[in-house]
Amino acid sequence: MITTPILDAESSNVEEILNAAALSDIKYYRWGPFPEPYATTTGVFQQLDEMKKRVERLAKLNERYGVTAIYHTASGGDRVGVGVWDLLYLLKDLDPDSVAINYDVGHATVEGGLSGWRNSFLATGPYLKGVALKDFNWQKIENRWRVNWCPVGEGMVNFKEFFDLLQQRDFHGPIQLHYEYPLGGADTGKKELSMPEAGVSQKMRDDLKLIHEAIRS
């Protein structure tokens, strides 16, 4: 799997990137997200119908190169993929081996809370081709609740239930463990860290260990 700047079939260097992926036997790449927020003056489904034409062209291009574009789900804002249902509307009737979903259970729990994340996961059906993992809790700052990304096991994501559901699927895609909580700057890509590299590595290993335990439990 690779991460790319590809948004649609008209993105810069799109065929060069897909050709390089195909030659390297890379089957999946992260695609999107669509940056445009929903316009309040136009119906949501009318806007999605216009976007679907772009997705269809990208699907044909991916089919030609034998790769799958997986759209990363997010939380917050009014963009495509936050609720997952709108993304499924775009993908409906298209080949899931060409365009699919990278389901982020952390973001889905932010948006879905008690059971919405579970329902959105079940709805992904054959379009589930990638999974992203991270944990969070709610933090109150200046009388406003905000998402606080945290180490695995310290937050609200029910990893055990999530993996129970995942194991019921015929899933063979990439699983990514994201580190977005403070790691001395490593979480934001800084070259100079404010904590020892060994400490960063240990936190990463701790998260990975807990994920393995959730998978086995």
Side-chain angles (χ1 to χ4, degrees):
M1 172 187 169
I2 55 174
T3 299
T4 75
I6 294 173
L7 182 61
D8 54 30
E10 283 70 49
S11 295
S12 298
N13 303 312
V14 59
E15 294 209 46
E16 289 84 352
I17 295 171
L18 298 187
N19 184 57
L23 291 174
S24 303
D25 199 29
I26 296 171
K27 300 299 184 184
Y28 304 93
Y29 72 91
R30 269 185 57 167
W31 142 62
F34 288 114
E36 306 94 334
Y38 288 122
T40 57
T41 56
T42 309
V44 168
F45 286 102
Q46 180 180 337
Q47 296 172 67
L48 289 173
D49 286 336
E50 288 299 314
M51 290 181 186
K52 190 174 181 71
K53 299 173 185 176
R54 297 161 67 183
V55 178
E56 289 171 345
R57 291 194 292 271
L58 182 62
K60 290 180 181 178
L61 196 58
N62 291 333
E63 183 179 2
R64 186 192 311 167
Y65 286 98
V67 295
T68 305
I70 52 177
Y71 192 105
H72 189 70
T73 61
S75 61
D78 49 4
R79 295 179 303 165
V80 170
V82 168
V84 181
W85 62 267
D86 50 355
L87 185 53
L88 289 167
Y89 182 84
L90 288 178
L91 300 179
K92 186 177 182 296
D93 300 324
L94 297 178
D95 184 358
D97 287 330
S98 295
V99 282
I101 293 173
N102 192 47
Y103 187 87
D104 188 312
V105 67
H107 283 302
T109 305
V110 171
E111 290 294 322
L114 186 62
S115 59
W117 71 267
R118 184 187 306 108
N119 295 335
S120 66
F121 175 80
L122 294 174
T124 58
Y127 292 100
L128 179 72
K129 296 293 185 178
V131 164
L133 311 171
K134 55 177 170 277
D135 209 350
F136 84 99
N137 51 43
W138 291 106
Q139 188 175 53
K140 196 170 188 179
I141 301 176
E142 297 179 351
N143 294 319
R144 184 175 180 180
W145 290 100
R146 301 177 186 273
V147 172
N148 176 55
W149 302 112
C150 63
V152 170
E154 295 183 10
M156 302 177 66
V157 176
N158 190 334
F159 289 105
K160 182 184 183 307
E161 183 176 3
F162 175 71
F163 284 117
D164 285 345
L165 293 172
L166 185 63
Q167 287 171 351
Q168 296 173 25
R169 298 285 192 95
D170 183 27
F171 177 78
H172 301 286
I175 297 179
Q176 315 115 57
L177 179 54
H178 291 189
Y179 298 91
E180 298 185 22
Y181 57 87
L183 280 173
D187 50 301
T188 57
K190 291 183 178 179
K191 294 182 179 179
E192 299 295 330
L193 304 182
S194 62
M195 65 183 296
E197 290 185 16
V200 174
S201 298
Q202 185 59 55
K203 286 183 176 294
M204 289 180 168
R205 284 194 293 268
D206 290 345
D207 278 9
L208 185 59
K209 178 182 177 182
L210 288 172
I211 289 298
H212 286 165
E213 290 175 355
I215 291 173
R216 290 193 296 266
S217 64

